[in-house]
Amino acid sequence: MKVDLEGKVALVTGAARGLGQAIADALAANGARVVYADIDIKVAEQAAARAPKCLALRMDVTNNPEVEAGVAEIARNFGRLDILVNNAGVNTLHHRVNIDAFPLEEWDRILRVDLTGLFYVSRAAAQAMLRQQSGRIINIASIVGLVPLRLQSPFVAAKAGVVNLTKSMALELGPQGVLVNCIAPGSILTEGTKRLFYGADGKFNDRVQAMLDHVPLGRPGTPEEIAHAALFLAAPESSYVNGAVLAVDGGWTAGYAREF
């Protein structure tokens, strides 16, 4: 997929690996100057080094002073900020349990990164974008924000929050030239899902087929397919898309796929 992002400056959080890296790479390949932001600065630097005109930035999205300083640094270095992709997020690998047994510290950790962190970065970026009266904010949610799944209540709550926060931001910022949209990925072949589901020793590899039976396309997605969706929302041509939630899930949330 090719779009014209020449002259645009993008910030992608959680860009050191996985979906974030794929999205940042796609934006860079289409002409944007991309800031690969991540708490793991060494890996972010390695990722950014492969792309021309790009740089890495350490950013812990749960640390608001660090977020504000990072966005200010981008403004100083590039003079503007056109695209924000809020990708940084966490889930739990070990605590897939009912809410009555869910550890309080895990609830706090997941909400702090997946929802409050997204708010911090969006708030800082929106201030920069409003000064120039233009911008795109793309939030990475999940299908669990649309159709809840069992045994991951904080992740479900956080991603549902992202979905409606996206719509609220679109109502507030859209009239001032800043478009806000959301992508809800389904099961994507990142390193995390490979470890959990698709690896030979994955914790839930015995449940993969049962999960894919609910996906009409019958397969997991790829990080590149999420990156293409982000490119669409970042493209100049999507200038009338605001407040949308784009499910990229192979049809998982279209309905209950079962045999009668």
Side-chain angles (χ1 to χ4, degrees):
M1 183 176 180
K2 285 292 182 183
V3 302
D4 183 8
L5 298 179
E6 287 294 332
K8 303 295 185 183
V9 176
L11 166 63
V12 181
T13 65
R17 51 177 63 84
L19 293 185
Q21 182 180 327
I23 293 168
D25 288 350
L27 295 173
N30 284 269
R33 293 175 290 178
V34 182
V35 178
Y36 287 64
D38 203 283
I39 196 169
D40 189 340
I41 185 60
K42 290 184 178 179
V43 180
E45 287 172 343
Q46 293 169 3
R50 299 179 295 103
K53 303 182 294 183
C54 297
L55 57 85
L57 177 70
R58 188 194 186 280
M59 182 179 287
D60 176 356
V61 300
T62 69
N63 184 328
N64 189 52
E66 185 171 302
V67 167
E68 292 186 345
V71 172
E73 182 179 338
I74 293 168
R76 285 194 301 272
N77 287 342
F78 296 111
R80 60 187 301 109
L81 177 59
D82 301 287
I83 301 162
L84 165 64
V85 181
N86 277 309
N87 168 76
V90 296
N91 199 350
T92 183
L93 295 178
H94 307 293
H95 302 287
R96 295 295 177 97
V97 295
N98 284 347
I99 188 168
D100 56 287
F102 210 96
L104 293 177
E105 61 273 14
E106 273 293 272
W107 170 277
D108 290 339
R109 182 181 73 92
I110 292 170
L111 269 290
R112 190 166 60 248
V113 176
D114 292 3
L115 186 56
T116 303
L118 184 144
F119 164 72
Y120 287 160
V121 185
S122 297
R123 180 175 180 273
Q127 292 169 1
M129 292 176 178
L130 289 173
R131 287 194 291 269
Q132 63 199 33
Q133 293 290 289
S134 66
R136 303 289 175 91
I137 297 176
I138 302 166
N139 296 324
I140 306 300
S142 167
I143 59 163
V144 306
L146 304 172
V147 180
L149 303 181
R150 297 171 57 246
L151 307 182
Q152 42 189 319
S153 52
F155 188 64
V156 168
K159 293 305 186 179
V162 170
V163 168
N164 268 339
L165 179 58
T166 295
K167 296 178 181 182
S168 177
M169 291 165 59
L171 293 173
E172 295 173 355
L173 303 178
Q176 301 174 78
V178 180
L179 308 185
V180 188
N181 294 289
C182 180
I183 299 170
S187 182
I188 306 299
L189 274 175
T190 61
E191 290 305 315
T193 58
K194 287 178 184 176
R195 286 198 305 273
L196 275 179
F197 294 104
Y198 301 104
D201 58 349
K203 184 175 181 180
F204 302 118
N205 65 353
D206 59 329
R207 305 179 199 176
V208 169
Q209 193 53 53
M211 179 175 68
L212 293 181
D213 284 345
H214 291 283
V215 181
L217 295 191
R219 65 171 178 85
T222 67
E224 290 72 26
E225 287 172 314
I226 303 302
H228 292 157
L231 270 180
F232 164 70
L233 293 174
E237 290 79 5
S238 63
S239 54
Y240 202 55
V241 182
N242 187 44
V245 180
L246 176 57
V248 185
D249 64 354
W252 189 339
T253 55
Y256 185 26
R258 70 174 181 178
E259 296 295 333
F260 286 91

